[in-house]
mmCIF file of all heavy atoms in Angstrom:
data_model
loop_
_atom_site.group_PDB
_atom_site.id
_atom_site.type_symbol
_atom_site.label_atom_id
_atom_site.label_comp_id
_atom_site.label_asym_id
_atom_site.label_seq_id
_atom_site.Cartn_x
_atom_site.Cartn_y
_atom_site.Cartn_z
ATOM 1 N N LEU A 108 108.430 131.827 -107.162
ATOM 2 C CA LEU A 108 109.692 131.907 -107.767
ATOM 3 C C LEU A 108 109.626 133.001 -108.932
ATOM 4 O O LEU A 108 108.794 132.785 -109.823
ATOM 5 C CB LEU A 108 110.145 130.555 -108.420
ATOM 6 C CG LEU A 108 111.454 130.415 -109.141
ATOM 7 C CD1 LEU A 108 112.633 130.711 -108.305
ATOM 8 C CD2 LEU A 108 111.535 129.029 -109.750
ATOM 9 N N ILE A 109 110.534 134.076 -108.914
ATOM 10 C CA ILE A 109 110.575 134.963 -109.852
ATOM 11 C C ILE A 109 111.521 134.721 -110.920
ATOM 12 O O ILE A 109 112.716 134.211 -110.698
ATOM 13 C CB ILE A 109 110.973 136.344 -109.289
ATOM 14 C CG1 ILE A 109 109.818 136.786 -108.207
ATOM 15 C CG2 ILE A 109 111.108 137.414 -110.382
ATOM 16 C CD1 ILE A 109 108.644 137.159 -108.857
ATOM 17 N N LEU A 123 112.134 139.600 -102.715
ATOM 18 C CA LEU A 123 112.451 138.759 -101.498
ATOM 19 C C LEU A 123 111.687 139.498 -100.358
ATOM 20 O O LEU A 123 111.137 138.705 -99.504
ATOM 21 C CB LEU A 123 113.915 138.842 -101.342
ATOM 22 C CG LEU A 123 114.804 138.187 -102.284
ATOM 23 C CD1 LEU A 123 116.284 138.299 -102.016
ATOM 24 C CD2 LEU A 123 114.471 136.637 -102.309
ATOM 25 N N CYS A 128 110.780 133.112 -102.820
ATOM 26 C CA CYS A 128 111.839 132.216 -102.427
ATOM 27 C C CYS A 128 112.786 131.843 -103.450
ATOM 28 O O CYS A 128 113.495 130.826 -103.292
ATOM 29 C CB CYS A 128 111.260 130.886 -101.709
ATOM 30 S SG CYS A 128 110.081 129.989 -102.792
ATOM 31 N N GLY A 129 112.825 132.661 -104.434
ATOM 32 C CA GLY A 129 113.784 132.524 -105.471
ATOM 33 C C GLY A 129 113.791 133.576 -106.497
ATOM 34 O O GLY A 129 112.658 134.219 -106.728
ATOM 35 N N PHE A 130 114.886 133.844 -107.273
ATOM 36 C CA PHE A 130 114.917 134.921 -108.212
ATOM 37 C C PHE A 130 115.924 134.515 -109.259
ATOM 38 O O PHE A 130 117.082 134.293 -108.951
ATOM 39 C CB PHE A 130 115.394 136.224 -107.561
ATOM 40 C CG PHE A 130 115.083 137.463 -108.472
ATOM 41 C CD1 PHE A 130 114.061 138.311 -108.044
ATOM 42 C CD2 PHE A 130 115.989 137.701 -109.447
ATOM 43 C CE1 PHE A 130 113.860 139.530 -108.881
ATOM 44 C CE2 PHE A 130 115.838 138.900 -110.248
ATOM 45 C CZ PHE A 130 114.817 139.676 -109.897
ATOM 46 N N LEU A 131 115.378 134.290 -110.559
ATOM 47 C CA LEU A 131 116.219 133.836 -111.573
ATOM 48 C C LEU A 131 116.169 134.715 -112.740
ATOM 49 O O LEU A 131 115.222 135.364 -112.931
ATOM 50 C CB LEU A 131 115.714 132.451 -112.055
ATOM 51 C CG LEU A 131 115.779 131.391 -111.006
ATOM 52 C CD1 LEU A 131 115.136 130.085 -111.665
ATOM 53 C CD2 LEU A 131 117.120 130.926 -110.518
ATOM 54 N N ALA A 138 118.944 123.761 -116.243
ATOM 55 C CA ALA A 138 119.140 123.008 -114.998
ATOM 56 C C ALA A 138 118.867 123.881 -113.776
ATOM 57 O O ALA A 138 118.440 123.370 -112.754
ATOM 58 C CB ALA A 138 120.458 122.373 -115.059
ATOM 59 N N LEU A 139 119.270 125.165 -113.863
ATOM 60 C CA LEU A 139 119.111 126.078 -112.809
ATOM 61 C C LEU A 139 117.660 126.254 -112.446
ATOM 62 O O LEU A 139 117.174 126.393 -111.430
ATOM 63 C CB LEU A 139 119.791 127.417 -113.064
ATOM 64 C CG LEU A 139 119.868 128.406 -111.887
ATOM 65 C CD1 LEU A 139 120.674 127.854 -110.753
ATOM 66 C CD2 LEU A 139 120.539 129.683 -112.322
ATOM 67 N N LEU A 140 116.744 126.355 -113.638
ATOM 68 C CA LEU A 140 115.333 126.539 -113.479
ATOM 69 C C LEU A 140 114.712 125.422 -112.726
ATOM 70 O O LEU A 140 113.944 125.508 -111.739
ATOM 71 C CB LEU A 140 114.737 126.744 -114.791
ATOM 72 C CG LEU A 140 113.205 126.773 -114.795
ATOM 73 C CD1 LEU A 140 112.641 127.974 -114.095
ATOM 74 C CD2 LEU A 140 112.657 126.771 -116.252
ATOM 75 N N THR A 141 115.076 124.265 -113.151
ATOM 76 C CA THR A 141 114.374 123.030 -112.436
ATOM 77 C C THR A 141 114.884 122.920 -111.028
ATOM 78 O O THR A 141 114.035 122.480 -110.135
ATOM 79 C CB THR A 141 114.814 121.758 -113.280
ATOM 80 O OG1 THR A 141 116.140 121.573 -113.350
ATOM 81 C CG2 THR A 141 114.167 121.814 -114.590
ATOM 82 N N GLU A 142 116.191 123.133 -110.752
ATOM 83 C CA GLU A 142 116.648 123.124 -109.337
ATOM 84 C C GLU A 142 115.967 124.156 -108.513
ATOM 85 O O GLU A 142 115.566 123.976 -107.430
ATOM 86 C CB GLU A 142 118.222 123.325 -109.324
ATOM 87 C CG GLU A 142 118.685 123.185 -107.898
ATOM 88 C CD GLU A 142 120.211 123.219 -107.829
ATOM 89 O OE1 GLU A 142 120.838 123.320 -108.879
ATOM 90 O OE2 GLU A 142 120.761 123.267 -106.679
ATOM 91 N N ALA A 143 115.682 125.373 -109.071
ATOM 92 C CA ALA A 143 115.023 126.454 -108.384
ATOM 93 C C ALA A 143 113.625 126.058 -108.062
ATOM 94 O O ALA A 143 113.157 126.382 -106.958
ATOM 95 C CB ALA A 143 115.066 127.707 -109.076
ATOM 96 N N VAL A 144 112.949 125.402 -109.009
ATOM 97 C CA VAL A 144 111.576 124.990 -108.703
ATOM 98 C C VAL A 144 111.462 123.910 -107.651
ATOM 99 O O VAL A 144 110.624 123.955 -106.751
ATOM 100 C CB VAL A 144 110.986 124.384 -110.107
ATOM 101 C CG1 VAL A 144 109.651 123.719 -109.716
ATOM 102 C CG2 VAL A 144 110.619 125.595 -111.022
ATOM 103 N N ALA A 146 113.688 123.517 -105.315
ATOM 104 C CA ALA A 146 114.004 124.159 -103.954
ATOM 105 C C ALA A 146 112.789 125.000 -103.438
ATOM 106 O O ALA A 146 112.387 124.891 -102.266
ATOM 107 C CB ALA A 146 115.299 125.151 -104.209
ATOM 108 N N ALA A 147 112.184 125.742 -104.357
ATOM 109 C CA ALA A 147 110.930 126.477 -103.928
ATOM 110 C C ALA A 147 109.836 125.592 -103.412
ATOM 111 O O ALA A 147 109.162 125.929 -102.421
ATOM 112 C CB ALA A 147 110.427 127.280 -105.124
ATOM 113 N N ASN A 151 112.621 126.170 -99.754
ATOM 114 C CA ASN A 151 113.993 126.716 -99.816
ATOM 115 C C ASN A 151 114.106 127.732 -100.877
ATOM 116 O O ASN A 151 113.250 127.993 -101.643
ATOM 117 C CB ASN A 151 115.052 125.589 -100.031
ATOM 118 C CG ASN A 151 115.091 124.671 -98.830
ATOM 119 O OD1 ASN A 151 115.176 125.091 -97.731
ATOM 120 N ND2 ASN A 151 115.055 123.319 -99.045
ATOM 121 N N SER A 152 115.378 128.440 -100.912
ATOM 122 C CA SER A 152 115.570 129.541 -101.785
ATOM 123 C C SER A 152 116.729 129.239 -102.661
ATOM 124 O O SER A 152 117.646 128.699 -102.428
ATOM 125 C CB SER A 152 115.903 130.696 -100.974
ATOM 126 O OG SER A 152 114.839 131.137 -100.222
ATOM 127 N N LEU A 153 116.657 129.751 -103.932
ATOM 128 C CA LEU A 153 117.642 129.730 -104.887
ATOM 129 C C LEU A 153 117.618 131.035 -105.669
ATOM 130 O O LEU A 153 116.587 131.315 -106.289
ATOM 131 C CB LEU A 153 117.636 128.439 -105.785
ATOM 132 C CG LEU A 153 118.892 128.178 -106.596
ATOM 133 C CD1 LEU A 153 119.061 126.676 -106.856
ATOM 134 C CD2 LEU A 153 118.896 128.894 -107.874
ATOM 135 N N ILE A 154 118.775 131.755 -105.750
ATOM 136 C CA ILE A 154 118.862 132.925 -106.510
ATOM 137 C C ILE A 154 119.999 132.746 -107.552
ATOM 138 O O ILE A 154 121.022 132.067 -107.288
ATOM 139 C CB ILE A 154 119.215 134.162 -105.608
ATOM 140 C CG1 ILE A 154 118.174 134.353 -104.565
ATOM 141 C CG2 ILE A 154 119.416 135.391 -106.492
ATOM 142 C CD1 ILE A 154 118.420 135.459 -103.581
ATOM 143 N N SER A 155 119.771 133.218 -108.794
ATOM 144 C CA SER A 155 120.881 133.149 -109.719
ATOM 145 C C SER A 155 122.191 133.469 -109.233
ATOM 146 O O SER A 155 122.314 134.550 -108.508
ATOM 147 C CB SER A 155 120.530 134.021 -110.904
ATOM 148 O OG SER A 155 119.460 133.596 -111.694
ATOM 149 N N PRO A 156 123.172 132.670 -109.348
ATOM 150 C CA PRO A 156 124.456 132.868 -108.743
ATOM 151 C C PRO A 156 125.066 134.321 -109.073
ATOM 152 O O PRO A 156 125.729 134.876 -108.291
ATOM 153 C CB PRO A 156 125.411 131.729 -109.306
ATOM 154 C CG PRO A 156 124.435 130.705 -109.499
ATOM 155 C CD PRO A 156 123.191 131.271 -110.035
ATOM 156 N N THR A 159 123.316 136.640 -106.670
ATOM 157 C CA THR A 159 123.627 136.427 -105.315
ATOM 158 C C THR A 159 124.800 137.115 -104.637
ATOM 159 O O THR A 159 124.696 137.823 -103.658
ATOM 160 C CB THR A 159 123.805 134.922 -104.995
ATOM 161 O OG1 THR A 159 122.646 134.185 -105.431
ATOM 162 C CG2 THR A 159 123.982 134.612 -103.435
ATOM 163 N N GLY A 208 126.890 131.688 -103.998
ATOM 164 C CA GLY A 208 125.897 131.390 -104.919
ATOM 165 C C GLY A 208 125.991 129.947 -105.455
ATOM 166 O O GLY A 208 125.353 129.561 -106.521
ATOM 167 N N ARG A 209 126.675 129.032 -104.722
ATOM 168 C CA ARG A 209 126.815 127.669 -105.264
ATOM 169 C C ARG A 209 125.589 126.952 -105.068
ATOM 170 O O ARG A 209 124.849 127.096 -103.999
ATOM 171 C CB ARG A 209 128.001 126.968 -104.500
ATOM 172 C CG ARG A 209 129.353 127.586 -104.716
ATOM 173 C CD ARG A 209 129.789 127.684 -106.145
ATOM 174 N NE ARG A 209 131.250 127.971 -106.129
ATOM 175 C CZ ARG A 209 131.878 129.146 -106.147
ATOM 176 N NH1 ARG A 209 130.905 130.220 -106.163
ATOM 177 N NH2 ARG A 209 133.081 129.347 -106.266
ATOM 178 N N THR A 210 125.201 126.047 -105.968
ATOM 179 C CA THR A 210 124.109 125.056 -105.773
ATOM 180 C C THR A 210 124.595 123.937 -104.925
ATOM 181 O O THR A 210 125.713 123.671 -104.609
ATOM 182 C CB THR A 210 123.647 124.601 -107.125
ATOM 183 O OG1 THR A 210 124.658 123.700 -107.689
ATOM 184 C CG2 THR A 210 123.258 125.677 -108.068
ATOM 185 N N ASN A 211 123.619 123.077 -104.446
ATOM 186 C CA ASN A 211 123.960 121.880 -103.611
ATOM 187 C C ASN A 211 124.900 120.964 -104.323
ATOM 188 O O ASN A 211 125.903 120.440 -103.762
ATOM 189 C CB ASN A 211 122.727 121.199 -103.115
ATOM 190 C CG ASN A 211 121.950 121.927 -102.116
ATOM 191 O OD1 ASN A 211 122.487 122.885 -101.598
ATOM 192 N ND2 ASN A 211 120.813 121.346 -101.694
ATOM 193 N N ASN A 240 116.103 129.641 -94.740
ATOM 194 C CA ASN A 240 116.483 129.206 -96.097
ATOM 195 C C ASN A 240 117.948 129.693 -96.333
ATOM 196 O O ASN A 240 118.608 130.331 -95.485
ATOM 197 C CB ASN A 240 115.579 129.696 -97.147
ATOM 198 C CG ASN A 240 115.298 131.209 -97.026
ATOM 199 O OD1 ASN A 240 116.340 132.006 -96.994
ATOM 200 N ND2 ASN A 240 114.000 131.675 -96.867
ATOM 201 N N ARG A 241 118.454 129.272 -97.517
ATOM 202 C CA ARG A 241 119.768 129.567 -97.868
ATOM 203 C C ARG A 241 120.051 131.046 -98.092
ATOM 204 O O ARG A 241 121.171 131.467 -97.958
ATOM 205 C CB ARG A 241 120.288 128.684 -98.968
ATOM 206 C CG ARG A 241 119.691 128.996 -100.298
ATOM 207 C CD ARG A 241 119.800 127.941 -101.337
ATOM 208 N NE ARG A 241 121.194 127.607 -101.589
ATOM 209 C CZ ARG A 241 121.721 126.348 -101.502
ATOM 210 N NH1 ARG A 241 121.051 125.312 -101.013
ATOM 211 N NH2 ARG A 241 123.074 126.027 -101.863
ATOM 212 N N VAL A 242 119.052 131.793 -98.452
ATOM 213 C CA VAL A 242 119.265 133.326 -98.663
ATOM 214 C C VAL A 242 119.636 133.941 -97.308
ATOM 215 O O VAL A 242 120.518 134.696 -97.209
ATOM 216 C CB VAL A 242 117.908 133.863 -99.140
ATOM 217 C CG1 VAL A 242 118.073 135.454 -99.152
ATOM 218 C CG2 VAL A 242 117.617 133.376 -100.596
#
Side-chain angles (χ1 to χ4, degrees):
L108 176 62
I109 296 291
L123 296 175
C128 56
F130 195 103
L131 300 176
L139 189 63
L140 173 63
T141 55
E142 183 175 354
V144 166
N151 290 312
S152 300
L153 194 151
I154 301 177
S155 288
T159 301
R209 303 297 196 273
T210 65
N211 284 359
N240 49 54
R241 67 198 299 125
V242 175

